[in-house]
Amino acid sequence: MTTSTDHAADRPITLSAPSGIDRSAHHRLDEAWLAAAWSHPTTRVFVVSGGQALVDDTPDGRTELVMTPSFEAPPTETHRYFLGTDQEGVRYFALQKDSLPGRMDQSARPAGLREAGVLLSERDAGLLVHAVALENWQRLHRFCSRCGQRTVIAAAGHIRRCPACGAEHYPRTDPAVIMLVKDEQDRALLGRQVHWPEGRFSTLAGFVEPGESIEQAVVREVAEEAGVTVGEVDYVASQPWPFPSSLMLGFMARATSSRIQVDGEEIHEARWFSREDLRAAIESGEVLPPSGISIAARLIELWYGGPLPRG
């Protein structure tokens, strides 16, 4: 496997750009430091609930996370997650609640990463993706997988401990491969999943199985979903994808066969597109490309040579 250095038309992949936040993991077990950080007047806090947080549009056209000083935050002691520190020394926390708080000025709105990820600054997107990933894991892993007892939160939200058997549980990340497959004519293979709307096409993707390398996963998934064999595999970039707990590993792959035979279970339709074919199909509305938040869009742009046309 080789590594591509041309990262998707020189544009950062959403949710992957440096956020400027030092996660400061060495402080997570220091309860005295965390208490002092929480009480500091510059500390900023936001609430996450069901994968959403409050965002607000500024007069100059930006979209920001709604954050408050800690003394204005809703009360909670258990579901308080330390996310890190910025270059100015500001500490950031997320609070997991059953619902988002209301806003007296009514200007804020709830939004998830799929909507707000492309609108937020790199700092705010990085904070939100961290918080959403922790919230998803915390909601789904409240009991010990070893003995079945309820676990308790530790390390500022990054560990769950079992008081019964002493086991420690850590947030899980499921590796998934996503790939733009090219044939000998430099056409791109795009597919439509069975539950997608008519015309929605994107790159192929799938989870890495136990005991499997990421290169092997690329070859297997393309063969299973589209019946196409793959030879050379080049790594491009990765993207955190907390829906609920994936890490998307992006690749360019070279096909050694061109005959398509979809599995009919995950992929309903797959087609080879030249650049001219794809441009015409998007402009006519025949094809709907993937959303800008996904690494899939960047992989297609990397092959296409620039931003995709508008429909």
Side-chain angles (χ1 to χ4, degrees):
M1 181 183 73
T2 59
T3 300
S4 173
T5 56
D6 183 3
H7 277 212
D10 296 325
R11 290 203 290 152
I13 296 172
T14 306
L15 309 182
S16 300
S19 64
I21 300 295
D22 180 352
R23 294 197 172 195
S24 303
H26 57 289
H27 288 309
R28 292 173 186 167
L29 295 172
D30 189 337
E31 294 297 334
W33 187 93
L34 291 170
W38 176 258
S39 302
H40 199 278
T42 64
T43 292
R44 290 296 176 265
V45 181
F46 66 94
V47 175
V48 61
S49 179
Q52 293 188 319
L54 290 179
V55 301
D56 208 350
D57 298 320
T58 65
D60 60 358
R62 294 177 294 110
T63 300
E64 296 180 336
L65 271 178
V66 174
M67 292 189 271
T68 66
S70 56
F71 61 84
E72 295 181 3
T76 182
E77 290 295 331
T78 305
H79 296 280
R80 188 168 75 191
Y81 311 143
F82 173 60
L83 303 179
T85 306
D86 67 16
Q87 294 179 348
E88 284 70 45
V90 177
R91 288 82 176 234
Y92 296 90
F93 287 81
L95 301 181
Q96 178 180 325
K97 304 290 286 184
D98 290 335
S99 62
L100 295 175
R103 291 273 289 177
M104 293 181 62
D105 56 15
Q106 300 297 313
S107 65
R109 67 181 189 280
L113 282 166
R114 293 182 188 272
E115 173 193 350
V118 294
L119 304 175
L120 296 171
S121 67
E122 293 172 355
R123 183 203 67 178
D124 285 6
L127 290 169
L128 185 56
V129 74
H130 189 176
V132 167
L134 285 177
E135 184 209 18
N136 284 332
W137 172 67
Q138 294 282 358
R139 288 187 185 278
L140 296 175
H141 295 82
R142 294 176 295 170
F143 296 92
C144 180
S145 59
R146 180 183 294 176
C147 71
Q149 296 297 310
R150 181 178 287 274
T151 55
V152 297
I153 296 173
H158 294 77
I159 294 176
R160 291 193 73 100
R161 290 198 178 107
C162 179
C165 70
E168 288 189 346
H169 305 278
Y170 296 84
R172 64 174 295 167
T173 298
D174 302 316
V177 292
I178 183 167
M179 44 277 176
L180 191 289
V181 181
K182 301 180 290 185
D183 70 357
E184 61 181 9
Q185 301 177 49
D186 204 27
R187 297 179 300 175
L189 178 64
L190 302 180
R192 182 167 72 86
Q193 292 190 15
V194 293
H195 61 275
W196 285 357
E198 188 72 27
R200 174 71 69 191
F201 279 83
S202 187
T203 54
L204 303 182
F207 286 102
V208 180
E209 294 188 345
E212 184 177 52
S213 73
I214 53 178
E215 297 91 343
Q216 290 170 335
V218 170
V219 174
R220 175 184 53 77
E221 285 289 345
V222 175
E224 289 178 354
E225 294 185 347
V228 173
T229 57
V230 165
E232 183 180 353
V233 174
D234 296 334
Y235 173 74
V236 178
S238 64
Q239 180 187 42
W241 197 248
F243 305 110
S245 57
S246 298
L247 175 66
M248 303 298 288
L249 305 167
F251 296 87
M252 304 295 284
R254 178 67 65 179
T256 58
S257 70
S258 60
R259 180 176 178 270
I260 295 173
Q261 185 175 355
V262 297
D263 61 7
E265 297 181 359
E266 293 186 55
I267 301 299
H268 176 74
E269 180 184 3
R271 293 164 53 186
W272 291 106
F273 290 88
S274 68
R275 291 171 181 81
E276 293 75 17
D277 292 339
L278 186 60
R279 181 177 68 250
I282 293 176
E283 290 176 346
S284 69
E286 177 189 353
V287 165
L288 304 173
S291 67
I293 191 175
S294 170
I295 190 175
R298 296 296 181 269
L299 292 173
I300 297 173
E301 288 177 347
L302 178 59
W303 161 80
Y304 186 76
L308 296 175
R310 294 178 178 270

